[in-house]
């Protein structure tokens, strides 16, 4: 995920084997469910809840109230220092009104998507999982701020930040399932090449995650283009957000 521990050497045969395994997965038309098993349950829940955010506030509060974790996180946000001047928050309806549509949607996404990064069986997945959610939250925070000046919807960018790391999760799962490993420290060539492939694996995994129209356009672009060659206007923000996030999060 990061390059802090990488060494400036060419690819070794073990690393080339790893890239070939990822390329064979990228060549598939669909991502096998077992490479990102929690997505099959979590993404439909997210889509359903995001679509319900257009309902009247009492109806949204009733739906959010069924989930204790979601309710608690929403109340925590509404009671944070950012909103403190508005006074004490005493109900979900008040919290929803206070944080607004974007605040509500980001809370929903953050609560529902966190389990998607839980470690799968395998040494590489276990090594990367503890940091992936922390990195993804940082990436979502940075890119949502950077996207607005670029004319991109903040929530679409936030979703990209939270979910882009699924490409790395899939990559580690592929290598674990093939009993491949990566020598430590890896070469800088491998880190760069895996980053490119992780972006494509995100696009492969997310190609049917039609959470919002804007996010769907981003995932389709990721399926077809590398970050460096993409013309999608959110990609420059993604590159900057990645560097800022990696600067905050220690590599696994």
């Amino acid at each position: 995920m990061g390059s802090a521990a990488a060494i400036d050497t060419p690819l070794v045969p073990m690393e080339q084997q790893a890239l070939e395994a990822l390329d064979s997965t990228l060549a598939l038309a669909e991502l096998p469910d077992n490479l990102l098993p929690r997505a099959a349950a979590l993404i439909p829940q997210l889509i359903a809840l995001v679509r319900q955010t257009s309902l009247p506030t009492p109806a949204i509060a009733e739906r959010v109230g069924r989930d204790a974790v979601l309710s608690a996180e929403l109340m925590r946000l509404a009671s944070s220092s950012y909103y403190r001047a508005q006074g004490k928050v005493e109900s979900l309806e008040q919290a929803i009104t206070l944080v607004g549509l974007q605040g509500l949607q980001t809370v929903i996404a953050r609560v529902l998507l966190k389990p998607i990064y839980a470690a799968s069986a395998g040494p590489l997945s276990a090594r990367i999982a503890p940091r992936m959610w922390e990195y993804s939250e940082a990436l979502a925070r940075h890119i949502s701020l950077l996207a607005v000046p670029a004319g991109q919807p903040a929530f679409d960018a936030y979703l990209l930040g939270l979910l882009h790391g699924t490409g790395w999760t899939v990559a580690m799962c592929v290598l674990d399932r093939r009993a491949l490993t990566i020598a430590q420290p890896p070469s800088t060539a491998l880190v760069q090449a895996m980053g490119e492939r992780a972006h494509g694996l995100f696009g492969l995994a997310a190609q049917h995650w039609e959470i919002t129209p804007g996010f769907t356009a981003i995932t389709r672009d990721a399926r077809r283009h590398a970050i460096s060659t993409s013309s999608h206007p959110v990609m420059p923000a993604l590159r900057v957000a990645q560097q800022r996030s990696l600067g905050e999060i220690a590599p696994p």
Side-chain angles (χ1 to χ4, degrees):
M1 185 174 69
S3 58
I7 54 175
D8 190 12
T9 59
L11 289 171
V12 300
M14 179 189 301
E15 294 177 332
Q16 189 61 52
Q17 288 180 347
L19 295 180
E20 289 170 358
L22 299 184
D23 287 340
S24 67
T25 302
L26 282 167
L28 300 174
E30 303 282 344
L31 185 76
D33 288 342
N34 62 4
L35 293 180
L36 200 62
R38 293 170 182 83
L42 295 174
I43 297 300
Q45 290 181 48
L46 176 61
I47 292 171
L49 270 174
V50 166
R51 289 176 179 172
Q52 289 179 21
T53 56
S54 61
L55 295 173
T57 300
I60 300 172
E62 191 276 332
R63 175 61 186 85
V64 170
R66 300 176 198 167
D67 188 314
V69 176
L70 186 54
S71 299
E73 181 64 16
L74 181 59
M75 293 296 288
R76 187 197 64 78
L77 174 63
S79 301
S80 66
S81 58
Y82 185 82
Y83 298 102
R84 190 169 294 162
Q86 304 298 321
K88 186 177 180 180
V89 180
E90 298 180 341
S91 69
L92 283 175
E93 288 190 34
Q94 184 183 0
I96 291 166
T97 301
L98 195 58
V99 305
L101 177 61
Q102 182 176 317
L104 174 62
Q105 289 179 330
T106 56
V107 167
I108 289 171
R110 191 166 66 250
V111 169
L112 285 185
L113 294 178
K114 185 176 182 179
I116 211 169
Y117 288 107
S120 302
L124 293 175
S125 296
R127 191 169 74 205
I128 198 174
R131 292 293 187 183
M132 277 310 306
W133 178 248
E134 189 179 357
Y135 168 75
S136 297
E137 280 196 299
L139 187 63
R141 182 177 69 253
H142 285 298
I143 194 173
S144 61
L145 293 174
L146 291 165
V148 174
Q152 296 302 296
F155 184 56
D156 291 342
Y158 190 83
L159 288 171
L160 172 60
L162 280 186
L163 287 166
H164 194 259
T166 57
W168 281 102
T169 300
V170 169
M172 296 301 104
C173 190
V174 168
L175 300 186
D176 280 335
R177 288 177 180 273
R178 298 200 182 194
L180 296 171
T181 189
I182 297 173
Q184 296 298 311
S187 68
T188 53
L190 178 68
V191 172
Q192 181 178 357
M194 285 194 68
E196 294 169 353
R197 286 159 174 80
H199 180 69
L201 289 168
F202 156 72
L204 176 61
Q207 62 183 325
H208 301 306
W209 298 350
E210 297 181 351
I211 305 169
T212 69
F215 179 73
T216 299
I218 292 170
T219 62
R220 289 175 178 169
D221 182 87
R223 184 75 176 103
R224 299 185 183 101
H225 305 290
I227 299 176
S228 59
T229 60
S230 170
S231 61
H232 193 288
V234 82
M235 291 305 161
L238 176 60
R239 291 195 293 269
V240 174
Q242 285 178 320
Q243 292 303 313
R244 292 182 181 179
S245 301
L246 288 170
E248 294 178 5
I249 309 302

